[in-house]
Amino acid sequence: MYITGGLGAAAGTEGFGSAYELPNAEAYNETCAAVANMLWNYRLFLLTGHGKYLDVFERTLYNGFLSGVSLEGNTFFYPNPLAADGISKFNQGLATRSPWFNTSCCPTNIARFLPSLPGYVYAVRDDQVFINLFVAGTGTMKTGNQNVQITQQTNYPWEGKMTFTLQPEKPTSFALHLRLPGWARNEPTPGTLYAYADDVRQDVRQDATPAITLKVNGKEARYTLQDGFAVLQRTWQPGDQVELNLSMPVRQVTAHEKVAADRRKVALERGPLVYCVEGKDNGGSLKGIVLAKNTAFQTTFQPDLLQGIVTIRGRGGQAFTAIPYYAWSNRGADAMAVWLPEGR
């Protein structure tokens, strides 16, 4: 799996290559495969209740899937590479997104999946309510013999603060499972394929991870960590509020040493978003960008850029600006890279 959640290294077979074969510019990563990756991992979550499958779902959703459609929603990528020169026509004859394809599975998969997204936000098992994804809005589910309404207030993925207001029909006891994403627990993906290379950590409980705070009605809450979820077991009253705050430092990611394409390279993440550098933000050339482990980053929300994004700025060989990977190629064909050379 690519760091974006994309699947499928080989364009010729629309399939996997050899073990650890993950080329960047030649990556196929069909948009349909990203949809399949989400559907498969969601079913594994329903089967097991384990949050690691939702971590993959979320990573794919915000990165390898969302890149497949333009911000306007009317042009599409068939493949989703992790590097481009702005010239090579990798997208079935184009170097940027296309309005349609002879085989139209990717646009139609996007059109069916995006409207279904609300159905993945929550889940229920007996007297357990699961909050899977952080999406502003209101949902109603049934636990026991009554309905429970949950309203989320959040600016995720740009900010890590979430407020959940619970409205059971009457006071009732159930376990609320609130997902603590892998990226917030120092695990970019399940397994050992990717790891954080930096040391942005704070002591939380027994292990060192980026800061996580959880409160119920304004007071710090005790919880158990189970399969990637913070579990809060109590009698919930109408109007109870749960506050979750996940710090969002910029993180540097490295790939397993057996991934030849990514040796001595790093990628940037912030929260659930993978970032890339694009020519238009960097003087037309990416050649001088090198990331050192002590590179300092500045993040800025720019409401007028690419329909509102948080940019990452730093200096690595040269000053650079990084944007979320999903937003690349919305200003025409351009050079792009997710993995950047690692400096000292």
Side-chain angles (χ1 to χ4, degrees):
M1 186 179 75
Y2 284 87
I3 191 68
T4 58
L7 292 178
T13 61
E14 296 192 355
F16 297 102
S18 301
Y20 297 99
E21 182 185 347
L22 295 168
N24 292 311
E26 301 82 10
Y28 197 59
N29 284 349
E30 188 181 353
T31 299
C32 286
V35 174
N37 200 19
M38 290 186 289
L39 297 178
W40 171 247
N41 275 279
Y42 193 75
R43 281 158 176 75
L44 288 173
F45 158 68
L46 292 178
L47 180 68
T48 66
H50 206 297
K52 66 182 179 181
Y53 300 112
L54 295 172
D55 289 344
V56 176
F57 182 104
E58 179 183 71
R59 176 169 294 273
T60 308
L61 172 66
Y62 282 105
N63 301 290
F65 163 75
L66 198 55
S67 59
V69 59
S70 66
L71 297 176
E72 289 78 13
N74 58 4
T75 56
F76 308 91
F77 276 146
Y78 213 96
N80 293 271
L82 276 71
D85 59 12
I87 301 171
S88 301
K89 297 179 179 180
F90 64 89
N91 189 34
Q92 295 200 0
L94 291 176
T96 186
R97 292 179 182 84
S98 171
W100 205 245
F101 306 102
N102 290 334
T103 302
S104 61
C105 52
C106 294
T108 50
N109 257 326
I110 291 169
R112 76 177 179 125
F113 181 82
L114 281 173
S116 76
L117 187 59
Y120 301 102
V121 177
Y122 302 101
V124 176
R125 182 175 62 190
D126 301 324
D127 61 347
Q128 303 169 82
V129 173
F130 294 77
I131 299 178
N132 303 330
L133 301 174
F134 308 127
V135 181
T138 298
T140 302
M141 59 229 68
K142 195 160 198 171
T143 178
N145 58 358
Q146 67 169 309
N147 291 324
V148 176
Q149 183 186 85
I150 299 179
T151 299
Q152 285 196 48
Q153 294 172 289
T154 184
N155 196 29
Y156 194 86
W158 310 120
E159 298 175 10
K161 181 179 180 181
M162 284 78 75
T163 301
F164 310 90
T165 302
L166 279 66
Q167 292 287 355
E169 292 175 329
K170 59 184 179 180
T172 186
S173 177
F174 61 88
L176 183 69
H177 293 241
L178 181 56
R179 186 172 65 92
L180 301 181
W183 65 259
R185 295 182 288 104
N186 224 42
E187 298 174 2
T189 58
T192 60
L193 186 57
Y194 300 104
Y196 289 121
D198 48 27
D199 198 25
V200 184
R201 303 183 181 189
Q202 298 181 31
D203 287 336
V204 177
R205 297 179 178 248
Q206 266 63 34
D207 49 351
T209 61
I212 298 172
T213 58
L214 184 59
K215 297 180 179 180
V216 175
N217 296 330
K219 297 181 179 179
E220 187 172 350
R222 292 186 176 183
Y223 63 89
T224 57
L225 184 62
Q226 178 182 326
D227 294 335
F229 288 87
V231 182
L232 297 166
Q233 175 72 58
R234 56 181 279 140
T235 299
W236 298 96
Q237 308 287 331
D240 278 348
Q241 284 196 336
V242 177
E243 300 171 40
L244 176 64
N245 204 322
L246 308 174
S247 66
M248 285 188 170
V250 178
R251 307 299 305 271
Q252 295 190 36
V253 185
T254 58
H256 194 285
E257 61 181 9
K258 291 185 179 180
V259 182
D262 300 333
R263 286 183 194 142
R264 294 179 293 279
K265 292 182 179 180
V266 293
L268 295 178
E269 291 187 359
R270 182 177 181 271
L273 296 176
V274 175
Y275 275 69
C276 69
V277 290
E278 195 173 17
K280 282 187 171 55
D281 304 303
N282 295 283
S285 176
L286 311 179
K287 292 182 179 178
I289 301 175
V290 178
L291 290 183
K293 287 188 177 180
N294 61 352
T295 299
F297 302 105
Q298 299 82 43
T299 58
T300 306
F301 181 70
Q302 297 187 242
D304 299 324
L305 179 61
L306 297 166
Q307 296 191 8
I309 60 169
V310 170
T311 58
I312 298 174
R313 288 191 170 95
R315 176 170 288 277
Q318 69 179 49
F320 69 87
T321 298
I323 64 170
Y325 169 76
Y326 77 79
W328 87 279
S329 202
N330 274 277
R331 296 167 288 181
D334 204 353
M336 180 277 295
V338 169
W339 292 96
L340 303 172
E342 183 179 29
R344 297 189 178 184

